[in-house]
Amino acid sequence: MRVARERHDAQLVVIGDRSLLAGCAHIEHVPLERPAKPGQLEPANARYVLATLERAIRGCLGGEFQAMVTAPVQKSVINDAGIPFTGHTEYLGEHSGAEHVVMMLVGGGLRVALATTHLPLSDVPRAITADGLRKTLQVLDADLRRRFRIAAPRILVAGLNPHSGESGHLGREDEELIAPAIAAARAAGIDASGPIPADTLFVPERLKGADAVLAMYHDQGLPVLKYASFGRGVNITLGLPFVRTSVDHGTALDLAGTGRADPGSMREALELAIELASAA
């Protein structure tokens, strides 16, 4: 947690077990269930992880904290403890009472939001609905205005299938679900364009003037952003009643305890959280 010991234009409160957070000035102690060993997963500490999140949520909802910055979490070990958990985004949405949340990453001059998050690829088509896309575009447009102070956001929407379905010959989701959702969003005053084939969406000429891209699934949009900014990107949850940012990477168990982990993304997440909270 070297980033928490650096100077920032905010008072930082680190939530977790004191034994893991030596040197941090302000610690909200939440005890581990069992001692932690660097790089070793311990399902018995799964509820500890969720307890730290729940404490942060209470603090944000109650006005005690102005923003939340989360470190990466090992989803598998929480599931191994018998607790259903798909990720921070879904958990924060459920426990904050948010109607609809959206995962967006920022970095490398890009903002890439996701219509679906942590799903097997085989489940993605069934998870995409016109109503869900409409809500996602509403949240994306609203938070680009509210959080990022963009007066009139321009959003590019990726198609699901190759060539956006090739007029229905390569899948009908683009014509039957995505295009109607975009039309509804435009009727509501949202400047959304698409569906655009994903293989040509990210070319510089098309991105010029755009404020965000909405990809249909995790590995459609994020590889491009992470290629442009890995280790400096920031994950943001839109649609929450508070600011939440996180890193652009996973837990890197092979680096735990070695001192070789790069804190760049955590630093960027912290600075962006301070910036967004200050602008709210």
Side-chain angles (χ1 to χ4, degrees):
M1 290 301 293
R2 75 185 84 164
V3 174
R5 297 192 290 269
E6 298 171 357
R7 294 179 63 86
H8 301 278
D9 293 330
Q11 178 177 311
L12 306 185
V13 177
V14 185
I15 299 174
D17 193 291
R18 290 191 189 95
S19 67
L20 304 176
L21 303 169
C24 296
H26 300 279
I27 299 173
E28 176 83 24
H29 179 61
V30 176
L32 286 161
E33 295 291 331
R34 292 185 184 173
K37 297 179 181 179
Q40 295 187 25
L41 299 176
E42 177 50 80
N45 284 325
R47 294 196 182 278
Y48 156 81
V49 173
L50 299 183
T52 64
L53 279 179
E54 289 161 6
R55 174 65 185 95
I57 293 168
R58 290 196 304 273
C60 287
L61 292 177
E64 182 182 0
F65 307 139
Q66 290 181 275
M68 179 192 307
V69 181
T70 61
V73 64
Q74 187 78 22
K75 302 175 187 66
S76 62
V77 76
I78 298 176
N79 290 316
D80 287 344
I83 304 170
F85 184 84
T86 57
H88 279 113
T89 303
E90 299 82 1
Y91 192 87
L92 292 171
E94 179 183 352
H95 287 77
S96 67
E99 180 181 350
H100 190 82
V101 293
V102 176
M103 179 178 173
M104 182 173 80
L105 268 75
V106 176
L110 299 171
R111 298 184 187 95
V112 179
L114 301 179
T116 61
T117 52
H118 301 107
L119 292 177
L121 191 56
S122 60
D123 291 346
V124 169
R126 290 189 298 275
I128 295 174
T129 65
D131 185 57
L133 289 173
R134 180 183 56 80
K135 291 178 180 177
T136 295
L137 285 166
Q138 286 177 336
V139 168
L140 179 54
D141 178 76
D143 269 12
L144 288 173
R145 295 172 188 267
R146 178 174 60 145
R147 302 289 191 201
F148 289 86
R149 296 295 190 261
I150 300 172
R154 293 183 56 200
I155 302 167
L156 304 183
V157 182
L160 172 65
N161 297 296
H163 304 174
S164 291
E166 194 73 65
S167 299
H169 295 287
L170 295 177
R172 304 202 59 84
E173 292 89 353
D174 299 274
E175 288 187 344
E176 297 178 356
L177 299 175
I178 302 174
I182 294 171
R186 292 186 66 85
I190 297 172
D191 188 354
S193 302
I196 302 168
D199 63 342
T200 57
L201 189 157
F202 290 98
V203 299
E205 187 63 29
R206 195 183 290 278
L207 289 173
K208 190 181 300 181
D211 297 296
V213 168
L214 177 61
M216 289 299 106
Y217 55 94
H218 188 281
D219 284 8
Q220 182 185 60
L222 298 193
V224 178
L225 183 139
K226 292 188 178 186
Y227 176 79
S229 66
F230 190 68
R232 296 296 181 273
V234 180
N235 182 355
I236 306 168
T237 305
L238 308 180
L240 294 172
F242 50 83
V243 172
R244 181 264 173 165
T245 66
S246 190
V247 295
D248 68 352
H249 56 74
T251 50
L253 295 175
D254 56 323
L255 296 178
T258 67
R260 294 188 288 110
D262 183 351
S265 183
M266 176 59 77
R267 186 178 292 113
E268 295 289 338
L270 183 54
E271 291 298 330
L272 184 56
I274 294 170
E275 178 185 336
L276 296 178
S278 299

